[in-house]
Amino acid sequence: MTLLRSVVVQVQFQWDGASWTDETDYFVTAKGSLEYLPPNEAYQSNKAVIQQMTVTLANTNWRFSEDNPASPIFPYSNQGGAYHRRCRILCTIDTRPTQTVFVGYIKATQEDVKRNQVTFTVWDVGEILRQKLSTTMLKGMLEHEVVAYFLTLAGLQDGNDFISPAYAAAHGVTATLDYSADPIDYAWLDDEPVWDELVDVAQAAGARLYVTKEGMVRFEKGWQWTRPASVETVSQETYQDFAPEVDDKAFYDEVQVAYTARAPGNSQDEIWKLDQSRSIYPGKTETINARFNYPAIDVVIPQPNVHYFLRTPSGQDMTGSVTVAIQIYAQQAIFTITNTASSLVIFSQGRITGVPLVGHPAEQVKKKFGTTPYNRRLEVRDNPYVQTKMQAEAIATFLAWWYSTVKKSYTVKGLRGDPNRGLGTRMLMRGDTARTYQGIVIKVDWRINVVNNAFAFLQDVKLVQNVFSTDYFIIGVDSLGSSKKIWH
């Protein structure tokens, strides 16, 4: 197999946070992975993959050393240097259009002084979404609307980092967040990583969350597994090795999904109370983080001399001499109290009232399936967004469908690199003249090296066997044998 083709690679960085700088002349090697978990593994782990790559550059004239005043990184040496600067690798094969191989944010930098090289570890946009944020209570928003809200809150831009159904309709483009007609009764962030919370939302929605090679966040509903797609045929002479395999993730005969219903509590319930008075000295600022007993649907804005008191030690009212700013979220409030007076002020009897969101005792849905008694149960637990029996039944039905047929996985090594191969693409593998294997790409390991002054681009691909029917996800039809809608 000929490894060298007309392959042109570009390595670019946004050192200034806005414009791309081409650093291809310094390129040595790069490798990385694109990966999402099959639905079964995603449901078990309750996590999604943050994809990574490493790119190694020649550090000629110490160009990429942040202590070098001539380096493009030097202006940011007090801000972590190259930390969170964007990096992308582009590839052009023969006369085809240029495509993105990987794009992300620098997570770590390692210099090799002896070799005079620098290696950047780059993570996809999931790294940015690891930040912890808080929100007010979101009530009755559709699943894709919750995803878009959380992404926007984390600083991502609709149309650039993801495409919501609303943006797609307004601009005539394809959405990367699948439309959902199903609402989530209650959703909120409580100083939690946005990425982890989005994974929970996806799980509860029977969807998958991942980042494409172009850096776009994808919220993909279950019906996408059956969508029509072109199939790339790969013959024996175009790969180095091919290995079908089966592991025990394919063997379950029962699924159990837990759900916790939530309902509003009494109005005007006390959801927080100050345990000890606080003293604020003249010219000082005190911050109080009020953690609620329960998440709250509605919160009454605290009022002075009703929900809290500001007094001198002798009892004089100091409300007019103290500034109180209150930030209210679904599960906490933050008081920022600044004493602009010339005497000590005591903050006391603080309390917050509102309508708490009370969780009912957890319940569960079970579903048996298959004819082979593996005596193995798949459990889905501890997801705060699985709030209704209907949701739990939909998840259980989806997993029963997934496990109704045992699916092999295929690993193909040493393929000629092609940036067209993304997550979810279809491939038909020819093992020999008598056998063929059709699969859906769930992981792409790739590597780019310089060989004889030319670029060599190779990929190893993992696929899951494509056994999906094309008529399962039809409105009003459940091919498992009932008339109930599963997704639409």
Side-chain angles (χ1 to χ4, degrees), residues 1 234-244 410-415 429 459-461 463:
M1 178 174 62
V234 180
S235 55
Q236 281 183 297
E237 62 271 15
T238 59
Y239 60 81
Q240 296 173 353
D241 195 12
F242 175 65
Y410 310 127
T411 300
V412 190
K413 295 185 177 180
L415 277 166
M429 308 302 305
Q459 292 173 326
D460 299 335
V461 176
L463 308 99

Side-chain angles (χ1 to χ4, degrees), residues 3-39:
L3 299 182
L4 300 181
R5 300 165 288 163
S6 175
V7 178
V8 177
V9 172
Q10 300 174 65
V11 183
Q12 300 176 345
F13 295 82
Q14 279 188 344
W15 299 127
D16 62 0
S19 57
W20 291 102
T21 300
D22 193 294
E23 305 287 9
T24 308
D25 289 345
Y26 303 93
F27 179 81
V28 176
T29 184
K31 62 180 180 179
S33 294
L34 299 169
E35 179 178 11
Y36 56 37
L37 301 173

Side-chain angles (χ1 to χ4, degrees), residues 36-38 41-50 193 195-197 199-200 203 209:
Y36 56 37
L37 301 173
E41 294 184 32
Y43 272 80
Q44 292 177 73
S45 66
N46 204 28
K47 297 295 177 186
V49 174
I50 295 180
W195 184 249
D196 290 350
E197 204 75 2
V199 173
D200 283 340
Q203 183 188 62
L209 185 79

Side-chain angles (χ1 to χ4, degrees), residues 85-97:
R85 303 294 157 179
R86 291 190 80 194
C87 170
R88 70 182 181 188
I89 292 184
L90 307 175
C91 181
T92 307
I93 295 179
D94 297 326
T95 58
R96 286 158 47 183

Side-chain angles (χ1 to χ4, degrees), residues 299-367:
V299 178
V300 176
I301 298 176
Q303 299 296 320
N305 298 320
V306 177
H307 301 100
Y308 63 87
F309 295 85
L310 297 162
R311 297 284 190 270
T312 63
S314 61
Q316 180 183 355
D317 186 358
M318 297 295 290
T319 302
S321 301
V322 177
T323 301
V324 180
I326 308 174
Q327 296 172 279
I328 297 177
Y329 303 105
Q331 207 159 346
Q332 62 177 305
I334 300 174
F335 289 81
T336 303
I337 308 165
T338 302
N339 184 0
T340 58
S342 58
S343 60
L344 178 70
V345 173
I346 298 174
F347 178 88
S348 64
Q349 302 180 54
R351 65 189 182 95
I352 297 177
T353 62
V355 181
L357 182 63
V358 181
H360 292 180
E363 299 185 58
Q364 59 193 25
V365 169
K366 287 185 180 180
K367 192 174 187 68

Side-chain angles (χ1 to χ4, degrees), residues 49-68:
V49 174
I50 295 180
Q51 300 159 133
Q52 303 179 29
M53 78 164 176
T54 59
V55 55
T56 300
L57 306 175
N59 198 13
T60 306
N61 297 323
W62 310 110
R63 175 170 176 76
F64 305 107
S65 300
E66 64 177 71
D67 54 355
N68 173 19

